[in-house]
Amino acid sequence: MSASATKESITAPRLALPLWKVAVARSTLEIKQFFREKGQVVFTFGMPLLMLVLLASIFKQHIGDTGVDAQQIYVTGMLGVGIMATSFQSMVLQVVGERANGTLKRLRSTPMPKSAYFAGKVAVVLVSSLGQAVILLGLGTAFFGLKLPTDPARWLTFAWVFVLGIVSCTLLGLAYSSYVRPQSAGAMVFLPVIVLQFISGVFIPFNQLPHVLRIIASFFPMKWICQGMRSVFLPDTFRPYEPGHSWGHGQIALALGAYAVVGLLVCLKTFRWKSRNDG
């Protein structure tokens, strides 16, 4: 055996298990680790709920003759914010922390491929976001006049918007983490997410925002996720308040699918197991 082959066998151990089994094992571990971190669990589930309760308790104005008031808009908006918070915001902070404390460096010395690590992150976000959505919808129906749809087609829309939103934002978060330094992670994550909340139709109808802000919001996934959630849980009488007086399901699917592809490609190209200080 040549010296180069020997070196390769040492630095890149052969994967003994099928990739899907490694991905499942990593996903299970990520989910267990998430629920062991009590502070993270409380923040993940508590922040959107607190924001919903505060906003929906203060603002109750009706939106035209749609039969919708601000409270229902806040519920659908918080569903989008919750997805963004768990899949992008928390993901960036978590991965930056794992890279800084050497966790990723140690994982790199194992046979686990990047794809299994990415799958684990997507899995924990799916589980936590689903639990968050159940709580938000329960609160919305119990106290804020939200009516759950009876049409199976609407629940199907919820499913694909939910999954596409999580996959795309998680991959974008993983990609973005490669450009964030630990000492500035908070500012580089919280600031853009807060700004996006104000321009993505979370707090007020999207078409009431200035035109330039609507254009800017269209370049980011939160706008499309929130639009998709409104199409599921708000009546069709609200469609005149949407861009083009339509729910735009085709555009939502295209946008979120594009974000997922871009996020995956950037992840595969730029994701680093080590911090910049490690060389």
Side-chain angles (χ1 to χ4, degrees):
M1 181 181 294
S2 65
S4 60
T6 302
K7 182 178 180 181
E8 182 179 355
S9 65
I10 294 174
T11 57
R14 187 170 61 88
L15 191 63
L17 295 174
L19 178 59
W20 70 269
K21 288 189 176 181
V22 179
V24 170
R26 185 65 200 176
S27 299
T28 303
L29 179 61
E30 290 277 357
I31 292 170
K32 289 180 179 179
Q33 289 178 336
F34 170 79
F35 284 103
R36 286 171 184 164
E37 296 290 337
K38 304 302 181 184
Q40 184 179 2
V41 172
V42 171
F43 181 83
T44 299
F45 289 97
M47 182 57 71
L49 293 177
L50 179 61
M51 291 180 64
L52 173 60
V53 171
L54 289 175
L55 290 169
S57 299
I58 297 171
F59 303 103
K60 304 178 181 180
Q61 66 271 25
H62 292 280
I63 309 300
D65 57 354
T66 62
V68 176
D69 60 33
Q71 293 179 321
Q72 285 92 60
I73 294 178
Y74 295 147
V75 176
T76 58
M78 285 303 108
L79 287 170
V81 171
I83 290 175
M84 194 75 176
T86 56
S87 60
F88 181 83
Q89 180 177 296
S90 296
M91 187 59 53
V92 174
L93 296 176
Q94 184 182 80
V95 175
V96 169
E98 289 178 351
R99 185 178 291 119
N101 65 23
T103 298
L104 292 187
K105 188 176 181 180
R106 291 190 293 271
L107 287 176
R108 183 66 183 93
S109 65
T110 71
M112 185 187 69
K114 288 182 181 179
S115 55
Y117 179 76
F118 296 162
K121 293 301 184 186
V122 172
V124 72
V125 171
L126 276 169
V127 172
S128 57
S129 295
L130 184 59
Q132 190 182 73
V134 169
I135 296 173
L136 285 169
L137 291 174
L139 193 65
T141 55
F143 300 103
F144 301 124
L146 186 74
K147 295 182 180 179
L148 297 180
T150 56
D151 184 0
R154 292 209 171 204
W155 285 111
L156 180 61
T157 299
F158 172 80
W160 66 256
V161 171
F162 184 81
V163 171
L164 272 180
I166 284 174
V167 171
S168 60
C169 290
T170 301
L171 291 173
L172 289 173
L174 286 165
Y176 187 57
S177 71
S178 296
Y179 303 95
V180 175
R181 296 183 179 276
Q183 59 270 25
S184 59
M188 292 184 68
V189 173
F190 288 113
L191 181 59
V193 170
I194 290 173
V195 172
L196 287 176
Q197 291 179 28
F198 282 94
I199 67 174
S200 300
V202 174
F203 304 123
I204 60 176
F206 187 74
N207 73 339
Q208 294 182 5
L209 293 166
H211 181 67
V212 65
L213 294 183
R214 282 181 280 164
I215 293 177
I216 294 172
S218 298
F219 286 95
F220 298 92
M222 186 182 291
K223 179 264 183 187
W224 301 102
I225 296 171
C226 291
Q227 183 174 327
M229 291 302 171
R230 291 195 298 273
S231 77
V232 174
F233 297 105
L234 298 185
D236 288 337
T237 54
F238 193 79
R239 280 193 299 182
Y241 286 83
E242 296 293 333
H245 297 178
S246 169
W247 295 126
H249 287 153
Q251 292 175 311
I252 295 171
L254 182 62
L256 294 180
Y259 292 128
V261 172
V262 170
L264 178 61
L265 293 176
V266 176
C267 277
L268 294 175
K269 185 175 180 61
T270 67
F271 185 80
R272 294 179 294 104
W273 296 96
K274 300 185 295 183
S275 66
R276 297 182 187 275
N277 295 332
D278 292 330

